[in-house]
């Protein structure tokens, strides 16, 4: 098989609405350049509604594939070889592509993106189909081929490929603005963050730890989870708020059954303050309606009412099983299920209130110096820079 020296990337024409198209495309291109530039990609060129990546010698192809499979806005892509557009040139390229491969059936899918090209797609398909049949002995199967040879004829060149990879779809990260996700060590919040990434948001993170009453395990988990999510968006920030002392103050004033909600309201205020300082536009949580006692409609409203920013809950209508399946697919599940100490379980009873009212909370909070606690949380927050971990070829198959 000829070594692919290009990657051909298709993006969603429909997602790129008319007037915004150049903006989305620029974002996508910048994101691709940032993700794969350091891996030996020499140039990224836009042509006829596609992006063509030219790989330098020694480019890390497997890692490039893994990164493109995690770049939102990419609908599909493939390692490709470049060929001259005449029939002899295409024949040689396709011969090189199938050499050494075994498959029982195949089809050629040719696309003539340049209307000025003299050969129509069906003609190319017939011609190249005969070439592949002679070389491999495989039969043609247009409906369920075991292998597909793709040929795309563009102005000045053609690209041929077989191993097409499905991309994650969605919108390029950054095209929708930035948000701040409340990242616990649990299963749900990383999935919520992923959903926002997919809708084109850059996501920064805030984690509340039970320190000094808990160890640092939850912080390490949050860092690892943010690292996995960085593979979908590039480097990002994680603010860690030591919350234990604040929780101890809450315990002094707030009845046991309202404590989880009081913690959540403080989290919203502190995260909201940090988000505003960062210039992000919304808070994101992993809450799902009715999943646990703190996530009834009443309680969600009580918590949300203190947020200075829009609160988004991308998982609100999902079942736990659906969330788990998505967590596995995006690569966060195994980290989330490792044991840690969740700060929300610090000083709380087994059965918190399910239908708290604003008045209940307002009355309880009268006994606290809320502003001082928020100030304390904001000032003690430590910001970690989260880098993109290396991806292995296995990660390429995850998605
Ligand atoms: P998760 O699996 O995301 O922890 P959960 O089902 O355990 O969710 P809760 O513990 O009620 O639900 O938390 C609801 C949401 O509140 C979380 O999804 C997260 O966005 C936020 N949250 C809870 N605890 C923390 C924390 N320690 N740090 C940051 N955010 C938190
Ligand atoms: Mg949790």
């Amino acid at each position: 098989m000829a070594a692919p020296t290009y990657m051909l990337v298709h993006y969603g024409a429909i997602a790129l609405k008319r007037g915004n198209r150049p903006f989305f495309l620029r974002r996508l291109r910048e994101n691709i350049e940032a993700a794969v530039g350091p891996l030996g990609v020499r140039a990224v060129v836009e042509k006829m509604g596609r992006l063509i990546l030219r790989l330098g010698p020694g480019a890390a192809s497997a890692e490039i594939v893994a990164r493109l499979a995690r770049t939102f806005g990419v609908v599909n892509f493939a390692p490709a070889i470049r060929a001259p557009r005449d029939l002899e040139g295409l024949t040689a390229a396709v011969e090189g592509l199938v050499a050494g491969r075994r498959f029982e059936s195949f089809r050629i899918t040719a696309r003539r993106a340049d209307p000025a090209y003299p050969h129509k797609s069906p003609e190319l398909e017939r011609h190249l189909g005969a070439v592949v049949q002679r070389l491999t002995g495989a039969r043609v199967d247009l409906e369920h081929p075991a292998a597909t040879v793709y040929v795309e004829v563009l102005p000045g060149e053609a690209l041929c490929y077989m191993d097409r990879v499905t991309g994650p779809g969605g919108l390029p990260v950054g095209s929708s603005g930035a948000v701040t996700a409340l990242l616990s060590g649990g299963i749900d919040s990383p999935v919520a963050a992923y959903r926002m990434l997919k809708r084109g948001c850059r996501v920064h993170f805030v984690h509340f730890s039970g320190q000094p009453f808990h160890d640092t395990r939850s912080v390490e988990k949050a860092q690892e989870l943010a690292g996995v999510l960085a593979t979908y968006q590039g480097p990002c920030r994680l603010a860690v708020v030591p919350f234990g002392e604040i929780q101890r103050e809450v315990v002094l004033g707030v009845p046991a059954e309202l404590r989880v909600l009081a913690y959540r309201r403080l989290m919203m205020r502190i995260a909201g303050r940090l988000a505003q300082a960062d210039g992000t536009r919304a808070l994101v949580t992993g809450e799902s309606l009715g999943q646990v006692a703190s996530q009834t409609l009443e309680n969600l409203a009580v918590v949300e009412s203190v947020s200075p920013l829009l609160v988004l809950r991308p998982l609100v209508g999902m079942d736990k099983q659906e969330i788990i399946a998505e967590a596995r697919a995006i690569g966060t599940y195994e980290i989330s299920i490792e044991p840690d100490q969740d700060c929300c379980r610090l000083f709380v009873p087994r059965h918190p209130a399910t239908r708290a009212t604003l008045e209940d909370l307002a009355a309880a909070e009268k006994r606290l110096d809320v502003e001082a606690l928020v100030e304390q949380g904001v000032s003690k927050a430590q910001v970690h820079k989260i880098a993109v971990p290396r991806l292995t070829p296995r990660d390429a198959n995850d998605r």
Side-chain angles (χ1 to χ4, degrees), residues 35-368:
V36 301
L39 301 173
V41 171
R42 285 282 171 79
V44 179
V45 176
E46 186 204 341
K47 210 170 196 182
M48 308 292 286
R50 299 148 170 80
L51 288 171
I52 301 169
L53 282 52
R54 184 160 57 82
L55 311 196
S61 297
E63 211 177 334
I64 292 170
V65 168
R67 291 305 308 273
L68 288 175
R70 290 163 181 248
T71 302
F72 292 109
V74 172
V75 170
N76 63 59
F77 64 95
I81 57 173
R82 186 168 182 256
R85 309 199 311 168
D86 56 87
L87 290 183
E88 296 85 77
L90 286 176
T91 300
V94 167
E95 281 173 351
L97 204 55
V98 298
R101 296 203 193 217
R102 299 180 73 76
F103 41 85
E104 282 189 357
S105 62
F106 75 100
R107 69 163 292 159
I108 311 280
T109 297
R111 239 181 270 157
R112 183 177 64 147
D114 176 7
Y117 184 65
H119 306 288
K120 290 191 172 157
S121 302
E123 183 192 341
L124 277 184
E125 288 173 355
R126 271 195 304 275
H127 176 84
L128 296 170
V131 169
V132 173
Q133 212 166 14
R134 201 173 54 236
L135 206 67
T136 64
R139 68 189 158 78
V140 172
D141 183 341
L142 298 182
E143 297 289 317
H144 302 290
T148 301
V149 178
Y150 296 88
V151 176
E152 300 194 16
V153 182
L154 306 171
E157 63 185 331
L159 289 165
C160 310
Y161 57 94
M162 292 186 72
D163 305 310
R164 193 162 88 167
V165 184
T166 303
L171 302 174
V173 165
S175 63
S176 301
V179 297
T180 297
L182 283 81
L183 186 68
S184 68
I187 295 169
D188 305 331
S189 42
V191 177
Y194 174 85
R195 292 248 161 157
M196 298 313 298
L197 290 168
K198 184 163 183 176
R199 295 317 298 162
C201 291
R202 179 159 293 289
V203 182
H204 297 292
F205 302 97
V206 179
H207 173 72
F208 294 85
S209 86
Q211 285 169 293
F213 305 108
H214 282 162
D215 61 25
T216 55
R217 188 62 200 121
S218 83
V219 178
E220 286 153 20
K221 274 176 78 175
Q223 283 174 312
E224 281 178 59
L225 290 168
V228 173
L229 293 162
T231 64
Y232 297 93
Q233 69 166 336
C236 53
R237 292 189 296 274
L238 165 70
V240 175
V241 179
F243 202 49
E245 299 282 12
I246 296 173
Q247 291 178 281
R248 200 171 54 173
E249 293 296 315
V250 171
V251 171
L252 298 178
V254 177
E257 72 278 5
L258 293 181
R259 275 176 205 158
V260 170
L261 293 175
Y263 296 162
R264 285 294 151 74
R265 278 161 65 95
L266 283 163
M267 285 184 185
M268 283 282 154
R269 292 178 176 113
I270 295 167
R273 200 73 71 82
L274 293 168
Q276 285 175 316
D278 257 2
T280 70
R281 290 181 187 277
L283 297 180
V284 178
T285 77
E287 288 158 320
S288 153
L289 186 60
Q291 194 189 84
V292 289
S294 59
Q295 296 173 20
T296 60
L297 282 180
E298 290 84 349
N299 287 350
L300 293 179
V302 164
V303 172
E304 175 174 296
S305 66
V306 296
S307 170
L309 290 177
L310 171 68
V311 179
L312 296 171
R313 301 180 183 85
L315 311 187
V316 71
M318 287 177 79
D319 288 345
K320 192 73 185 186
Q321 287 312 314
E322 294 171 320
I323 299 171
I324 287 174
E326 191 153 318
R328 284 187 199 277
I330 67 181
T332 54
Y333 182 76
E334 297 300 327
I335 302 168
S336 291
I337 58 173
E338 281 171 29
D340 69 345
Q341 297 169 309
D342 179 346
C343 72
C344 293
R345 291 196 285 273
L346 206 55
F347 321 123
V348 296
R350 272 177 178 280
H351 301 291
T354 50
R355 289 197 164 67
T357 64
L358 269 180
E359 293 72 45
D360 297 336
L361 265 296
E365 284 176 357
K366 279 224 175 70
R367 295 190 286 272
L368 305 173

